[in-house]
Amino acid sequence: MTGRVFLAGGGGAEASKPLDEQFAHAVGAGPLAYWPVAMEPDRYADAEAWLRDVYEPLGVHDISTWDGEASPTFTGVRGIYIGGGNTYRLLALAQRFGVLDRLREYVAAGGVVFGGSAGAALLGADISTVAHLDRNDAKVVDTAGADLAAGHAVFVHHADGDLPRESVWTATYRRPVLALSEHANAIVAGNAVTAVGPDPVLLVSPTGRRKLAPGSTSYAGSPA
């Protein structure tokens, strides 16, 4: 049983509300593991309070937070929420604790994972998509991500002015791209990508680009 990957473009709780509702339904009461580690540690408590404000009204009450000090727990976890911040910091911690392989195994076994902003970029094929947004203070060299987005890399906080950058990236890396505005979200299940509103998802590949309307599904390998 393959799990699902929930990707949010980074616009906050109101923009991701349709996605949050579907993720909460998949997680049930929990346990939900929250990973705020893309942020600095002094922000974890406020970030957890924010997450609880979003998810407790949706019925998710059993929430624990990974502090990045030791390997995160996967056993018995109904869902994992990977939050925003600096994507290079997030990837550096993921590499330190061998998290990318474990995420792939978790999803392959039916687990559900939510990535918001930096978290969404991590779940894509390569985090170099955020080079224009984040400083690489962690000195990350290998920028490969978890590759759980049906072969796509993920551009977050997409704006129309980013189209040239995304086109160059996909031509250079020979990988398709999911470009998510702050109001665009997606659910990936196997090789299927479904857009979750309110905005469409932009699919960019070396052969072109097209919009995927909310509620519509694209399958990896189909032409852009």
Side-chain angles (χ1 to χ4, degrees):
M1 174 184 176
T2 302
R4 285 175 290 163
V5 174
F6 296 69
L7 305 170
E14 190 59 35
S16 67
K17 184 176 180 181
L19 195 69
D20 290 321
E21 291 172 344
Q22 294 196 47
F23 183 65
H25 180 74
V27 171
L32 172 63
Y34 176 40
W35 295 3
V37 294
M39 301 179 185
E40 295 296 328
D42 61 0
R43 299 179 60 192
Y44 293 175
D46 287 345
E48 181 179 335
W50 172 85
L51 188 84
R52 288 185 179 277
D53 284 346
V54 173
Y55 277 92
E56 286 183 345
L58 297 176
V60 183
H61 298 283
D62 187 351
I63 299 172
S64 62
T65 296
W66 178 38
D67 63 6
E69 294 296 324
S71 185
T73 298
F74 286 78
T75 303
V77 172
R78 290 284 302 274
I80 297 170
Y81 187 112
I82 309 174
N86 185 287
T87 316
Y88 293 100
R89 172 184 167 82
L90 175 60
L91 179 57
L93 282 167
Q95 291 171 341
R96 181 186 307 170
F97 293 110
V99 161
L100 299 182
D101 284 339
R102 296 175 69 193
L103 278 171
R104 288 187 280 266
E105 292 166 0
Y106 179 74
V107 172
V112 292
V113 180
F114 187 113
S117 189
L122 180 79
L123 294 171
D126 196 292
I127 73 155
S128 59
T129 53
V130 304
H132 62 298
L133 298 173
D134 293 348
R135 288 167 52 103
N136 187 7
D137 292 333
K139 307 301 182 186
V140 170
V141 176
D142 179 0
T143 56
D147 204 4
L148 287 169
H152 296 78
V154 181
F155 273 80
V156 294
H157 301 283
H158 164 80
D160 288 344
D162 293 322
L163 280 170
R165 178 182 292 110
E166 292 156 358
S167 296
V168 169
W169 193 97
T170 193
T172 301
Y173 287 86
R174 309 302 298 176
R175 284 273 198 172
V177 164
L178 299 178
L180 305 178
S181 75
E182 294 189 348
H183 292 81
N185 312 290
I187 299 175
V188 179
N191 72 335
V193 178
T194 300
V196 179
D199 285 358
V201 172
L202 185 64
L203 303 173
V204 185
S205 80
T207 59
R209 61 179 182 260
R210 65 184 174 93
K211 289 182 178 180
L212 186 66
S216 301
T217 299
S218 177
Y219 295 89
S222 61

